[in-house]
Amino acid sequence: MSSTTVTETEIEVPPLPPPIPQAPRPPKKMKPARKQVKPGDVVKTETVQTGKEYNIWYNKWAGGDREDSYSNKTKSQTRCSIKNDTGLTRANTTGMKYICLFFARGCCPYGWECEYRHSLPTSEDDFPDSSKDCFARDKFADYRDDMGGVGSFNRQNRTLYVGRIKETGTGPETEEVVARHFREWGTIEKIRVLQYRSVAFVTYVSEYNAQFAKEAMACQSLDNDEILNVRWATEDPNPVSKVAEKRRLEEMGQEAIKARMDPRVVDAMRAVRALEEGVELEPEVEEPYEEEDEQEPEAKRRRIEGGPASMSPPPVQQEEAPPPNPTGLLSADALESLKYFAEIQKRRAANWNGNGHVQRAPPPPPKAGLGLADYGSDDED
């Protein structure tokens, strides 16, 4: 038997279904945030411990029933309402970008006096530290054994495991119920329901929305008064999903690099790569460069060409303009060299025919005779 290996380029990734938009939308004109609860309204009862040894790493008793803040069967007393609870706090004036954890759980007693934001994370949010979640809690190198807690900074996890769902209909009906409750916390990319197993996997477009939804839906109910068990999902073993996630991360990295680079450098690098691979670039409308960029040293051009023009006398020196200050990752000389390569590509594209070959000038006709007329003889005086 011969085993065949399939590469990533051979795996065909099916198109994703249209994302489920976030609804209801938060109010456009926010008012001062209200106090979700009054001090003392939420009564926290301690779970009866059945273990005999206390594990200081997981901060719980070991050896007894597996009961913690993520798997307990006590329904949460509060729930966040994005439409009613979103508002302005002191964080909007102090510049704090992190979100209030108790606001996500629906039990913040401070309201507009809170030092953290009372709003959903958006795609425009730029949190200062990637090793923290949207609630300013430190991530860890690996996930907990029960896949609870804050999570890991080694993997971007956007998928939630939702357990203990009471199914009263078919798979599509259960998926509609899950989407209706979880879309409140952000745009959903896809939902997968394991019918007859009371399990669903919800994947958000943004990781920060998944972090918010995990805290907001912990120990909550859907339509049948169940108590959900919400945790982080393990990595999908499907190779198609792995390839799709890898490509998505590569595209995000390319977009981030392009956003920070000078667009002229990006165009020049594309032209150089097309010149090396012999691929014709599609004509693009180029923006006019500044006068400083149009001035190119003739001596450097002749040195690169290496032709007979390099032996010609140097032109009259004019007053040298001050070199432009480099604003990107490359110096001014590197930018000039890349632009020169781009001009060579344009000349090559102009001589390109329809068969994919470069039209070259025909060779000069051979001279008549043996070509010995220019040689002299030793007998001539």
Side-chain angles (χ1 to χ4, degrees):
M1 297 178 62
S2 60
S3 60
T4 59
T5 58
V6 181
T7 60
E8 294 182 359
T9 56
E10 298 177 356
I11 297 177
E12 183 179 355
V13 179
L16 292 174
I20 304 174
Q22 191 262 337
R25 304 291 297 179
K28 295 183 179 180
K29 187 177 181 181
M30 292 193 300
K31 300 179 180 180
R34 68 168 189 169
K35 298 180 180 180
Q36 294 174 306
V37 295
K38 296 180 180 179
D41 287 352
V42 180
V43 180
K44 185 177 180 181
T45 58
E46 295 292 338
T47 305
V48 179
Q49 301 295 339
T50 58
K52 298 180 179 180
E53 297 179 356
Y54 189 78
N55 192 324
I56 61 174
W57 178 259
Y58 291 110
N59 194 23
K60 64 180 182 180
W61 291 90
D65 297 336
R66 294 189 58 183
E67 296 290 337
D68 55 17
S69 58
Y70 294 95
S71 64
N72 58 22
K73 299 180 180 180
T74 303
K75 185 178 179 180
S76 177
Q77 304 177 39
T78 58
R79 177 165 179 170
C80 177
S81 174
I82 295 299
K83 185 177 180 180
N84 299 326
D85 296 337
T86 301
L88 301 174
T89 61
R90 291 181 179 177
N92 297 97
T93 57
T94 59
M96 170 61 69
K97 297 184 178 180
Y98 292 104
I99 301 171
C100 177
L101 175 62
F102 299 99
F103 160 74
R105 295 175 178 174
C107 58
C108 181
Y110 297 105
W112 62 272
E113 298 178 346
C114 185
E115 299 293 339
Y116 293 86
R117 289 170 45 194
H118 279 204
S119 61
L120 274 176
T122 61
S123 58
E124 301 176 356
D125 289 337
D126 185 15
F127 293 100
D129 193 353
S130 60
S131 63
K132 299 178 181 291
D133 65 352
C134 64
F135 304 109
R137 299 181 299 180
D138 291 325
K139 296 181 180 179
F140 298 92
D142 200 359
Y143 288 94
R144 285 173 34 172
D145 294 341
D146 56 0
M147 296 303 291
V150 181
S152 172
F153 53 76
N154 288 326
R155 182 166 71 95
Q156 189 183 46
N157 200 341
R158 302 178 295 128
T159 305
L160 298 178
Y161 164 90
V162 184
R164 292 205 294 257
I165 300 175
K166 287 185 179 180
E167 302 181 45
T168 58
T170 61
E173 293 177 356
T174 305
E175 181 177 342
E176 189 275 332
V177 172
V178 174
R180 177 159 42 85
H181 284 269
F182 277 82
R183 67 187 298 185
E184 184 179 0
W185 322 113
T187 303
I188 298 176
E189 183 177 289
K190 62 180 179 179
I191 296 178
R192 181 189 176 193
V193 176
L194 302 183
Q195 196 174 6
Y196 308 120
R197 297 181 62 179
S198 303
V199 172
F201 294 93
V202 182
T203 302
Y204 284 88
V205 174
S206 173
E207 181 187 13
Y208 298 120
N209 292 109
Q211 295 171 359
F212 192 98
K214 179 177 177 295
E215 296 296 335
M217 293 301 295
C219 300
Q220 298 290 348
S221 301
L222 298 182
D223 290 348
N224 301 309
D225 200 26
E226 66 267 56
I227 301 176
L228 299 179
N229 179 19
V230 184
R231 302 171 182 269
W232 290 114
T234 56
E235 188 175 3
D236 193 348
N238 188 354
V240 177
S241 301
K242 290 184 178 181
V243 172
E245 182 67 14
K246 183 178 179 180
R247 292 178 182 175
R248 187 188 70 87
L249 294 177
E250 290 177 354
E251 292 176 358
M252 288 179 56
Q254 292 175 2
E255 293 296 332
I257 293 175
K258 288 181 180 180
R260 295 181 178 271
M261 288 184 64
D262 192 342
R264 295 173 297 178
V265 178
V266 177
D267 296 339
M269 293 298 294
R270 288 179 63 250
V272 171
R273 181 174 297 178
L275 181 62
E276 294 175 351
E277 297 177 355
V279 180
E280 183 180 2
L281 287 178
E282 297 180 359
E284 297 181 358
V285 180
E286 298 184 355
E287 299 180 358
Y289 296 148
E290 300 178 0
E291 295 181 358
E292 296 177 340
D293 300 331
E294 291 293 341
Q295 298 176 357
E296 193 168 350
E298 295 295 333
K300 187 169 184 177
R301 181 189 293 272
R302 291 192 303 272
R303 185 170 64 253
I304 295 176
E305 291 179 351
S310 60
M311 304 301 296
S312 59
V316 180
Q317 296 183 356
Q318 300 178 356
E319 295 182 0
E320 298 182 355
N325 295 328
T327 58
L329 301 176
L330 304 178
S331 62
D333 293 339
L335 288 174
E336 293 171 359
S337 302
L338 292 175
K339 285 186 289 183
Y340 174 63
F341 281 119
E343 292 179 3
I344 295 178
Q345 169 62 17
K346 293 179 183 177
R347 297 174 187 174
R348 183 173 180 178
N351 298 329
W352 203 276
N353 57 11
N355 297 328
H357 301 283
V358 178
Q359 296 179 353
R360 302 182 182 275
K367 296 180 181 180
L370 300 177
L372 302 177
D374 294 340
Y375 288 90
S377 176
D378 295 339
D379 297 336
E380 294 180 359
D381 296 331

